[in-house]
Amino acid sequence: MGTATAGQSSTERTAWHNWAGNVTATPARVVTPASVGELQEAVRRAAEDGLRVKAVGTGHSFTAAAATDGVLVRPQALAGIRSIDRAAGTVTAAAGTVLKDLNQALAREGLSLTNMGDIMEQTVSGATSTGTHGTGRDSASIAAQIRGLELVTADGRLLTCSEKENPEVFAAARLGIGALGVVTAITFAVEPIFFLTAREEPMTFDRVTAEFEEHFAENEHFEFYWFPHTGNCNTKRNNRSQGPAAPPGRVSAWIEDELLSNGLFQAVNSLGRAVPATIPSIARVASRALSARTYTDIPYKVFTSPRRVRFVEMEYALPRERVVEALRELRSTVDRSGLRISFPVEVRTAPADDITLSTASGRETAYIAVHMYKSTPYQAYFTAAERIFTAHGGRPHWGKVHTRDAGYLAEVYPRFGEFTALRDRLDPDRVFGNDYLRRVLGD
């Protein structure tokens, strides 16, 4: 992206695009601050020049949340663990730290996050600012594990936020969609590293939906994938165990995680894009290719997996008691339509949390995520899915494709006005604004 190096800015107008390739932007300049002070100066200068500012991580959002024609901040030089407080059970990481690096560094220290999403290529600030989550009965999103953060505001000040210091900002900025300022550091709750035993098992759609609440109640982390055009699902149950580590054998891990989930999956999606009529047959074969397996390892090696097949995604958070009904409606819609869907549909859960605009704010939540292979027309499928999700009071993931606006979001988020009032106070001139935020938060 441009030619900027740490501590410098680039005025070369080079197009930026996200991981999926569905969002592009051409900023006036790119800055890569090597210190918080340099970032503060970049924000002040942008405001003086009448330019808007957006920080961008690794581009894993599918929305234009980070797109700007002003100043694009690349925080990659602001990376690494700043401090570990074992007595408090916290770690402070600079905003540009990639989750993979954080997880590996914590493991070397004998520590771990309690829960995490299924990919770890994002920066810690990008992941938390958009609401990245895994699945959990009792443990919530990555943002819900934040105990403190630093934020550069529109006037270039550095705010330190926690439950005790600037608590009203802390309540919102843990998941701020980039609207309140640029996060420079995050303090996470961590715990001594532990083992998880994963049990993956194929199951029919009818059985997993009939037993959903039972599986949810009996497992610390339960999720499943339904393969459209079939009655087949794959379930995954992760629970703490005493160990010892018993990871998948090298051959079986390669078959499941590389061949089936990446290599062969890439090939069949390319075939499906070229010849959509083949997709239902491919889905039936693919959904039967996965076999049951059980393995044990440290958390990040169980929660996360490589995702090299590029796609576009929509995900909605529903009240947990509505998710099975919504999923059954989605299956009926796909079956009745001419849609050809080559990606499985993912279902996960989260407990209620207290973050102002978290998708799980104030309610027990279940998520349904729909995907389409890159460069494949996704609008008809996503429109049909979104119609179902919104009928059930769904809240769209802030970093994934959706068409909702501030009017809708104010209805499904009881604390929406609290967030926008805080934004008016911290950024009255919309230094951190862009078209996406105008749509989802209003002017």
Side-chain angles (χ1 to χ4, degrees), residues 8 11 49 69 80 88 95 106-107 109 166 224 255 271 304 311 328 330 344 384 394 414 423 439:
Q8 298 179 347
T11 55
D49 293 345
D69 58 3
L106 287 175
E109 297 288 340
N166 296 303
F224 70 93
I255 290 172
L271 173 61
T304 69
F311 53 85
R328 287 172 175 157
L330 181 64
R423 183 192 187 206
R439 171 163 68 88

Side-chain angles (χ1 to χ4, degrees), residues 19 30 42 47 58 61 83 92 138 162 188 220 228 234 246 258 337 342 347 355 372 380 401 404 430 440:
W19 178 82
V30 178
T58 55
S61 289
S83 63
T92 300
D138 310 304
S162 67
F188 292 102
E220 293 173 75
N234 198 45
E258 292 300 330
S337 73
S342 60
V347 178
I355 302 171
M372 286 289 275
V401 174
R404 300 299 89 188
R430 302 298 188 254
V440 299

Side-chain angles (χ1 to χ4, degrees), residues 45-59:
R45 184 181 162 207
E48 289 170 2
D49 293 345
L51 295 173
R52 295 185 294 185
V53 179
K54 298 306 298 179
V56 64
T58 55

Side-chain angles (χ1 to χ4, degrees), residues 98-111:
V98 174
L99 283 168
K100 181 177 182 179
D101 297 334
L102 176 65
N103 287 333
Q104 292 176 344
L106 287 175
R108 289 194 294 270
E109 297 288 340
L111 299 169

Side-chain angles (χ1 to χ4, degrees), residues 87-140:
T90 60
V91 60
T92 300
T97 308
V98 174
L99 283 168
K100 181 177 182 179
D101 297 334
L102 176 65
N103 287 333
Q104 292 176 344
L106 287 175
R108 289 194 294 270
E109 297 288 340
L111 299 169
S112 177
L113 294 170
T114 298
N115 199 357
M116 59 194 78
D118 60 0
I119 63 170
M120 52 179 180
E121 308 305 319
Q122 315 101 309
T123 60
V124 294
S125 55
T128 55
S129 293
T130 53
T132 295
H133 62 91
T135 189
R137 182 189 60 204
D138 310 304
S139 54

Side-chain angles (χ1 to χ4, degrees), residues 276-422:
T278 63
I279 288 176
S281 297
I282 291 171
R284 285 189 289 272
V285 173
S287 67
R288 290 195 294 265
L290 297 172
S291 57
R293 63 174 179 165
T294 300
Y295 53 95
T296 300
D297 217 324
I298 59 175
Y300 83 85
K301 294 184 178 181
V302 173
F303 283 130
T304 69
S305 54
R307 290 282 184 273
R308 282 184 275 279
V309 181
R310 303 207 177 203
F311 53 85
V312 178
E313 181 178 358
M314 169 184 281
E315 183 177 51
Y316 266 75
L318 309 180
R320 199 183 73 238
E321 66 273 12
R322 307 293 292 273
V323 72
V324 168
E325 181 183 356
L327 187 64
R328 287 172 175 157
E329 290 174 15
L330 181 64
R331 182 184 182 185
S332 296
T333 296
V334 170
D335 288 347
R336 289 195 312 268
S337 73
L339 295 169
R340 294 292 178 262
I341 314 302
S342 60
F343 260 80
V345 174
E346 183 178 25
V347 178
R348 296 179 289 175
T349 68
D353 65 42
D354 63 350
I355 302 171
T356 313
L357 289 189
S358 165
T359 47
S361 182
R363 74 184 189 192
E364 293 285 323
T365 296
Y367 297 91
I368 303 180
V370 296
H371 313 70
M372 286 289 275
Y373 186 49
K374 66 174 184 178
S375 304
T376 301
Y378 62 82
Q379 287 82 357
Y381 177 37
F382 283 14
T383 298
E386 191 171 40
R387 190 175 298 123
I388 294 168
F389 301 154
T390 55
H392 290 278
R395 298 168 177 170
H397 189 299
W398 295 106
K400 298 178 184 178
V401 174
H402 68 93
T403 66
R404 300 299 89 188
D405 61 15
Y408 175 87
L409 295 164
E411 293 180 356
V412 295
Y413 282 98
R415 299 172 67 184
F416 189 83
E418 180 184 328
F419 187 96
T420 55
L422 178 65

Side-chain angles (χ1 to χ4, degrees), residues 230-252:
T230 80
N232 303 324
C233 297
N234 198 45
T235 64
K236 185 175 183 182
R237 293 169 250 196
N238 298 331
N239 291 286
R240 295 192 186 215
S241 71
Q242 294 300 308
R250 188 168 297 177
V251 173
S252 68

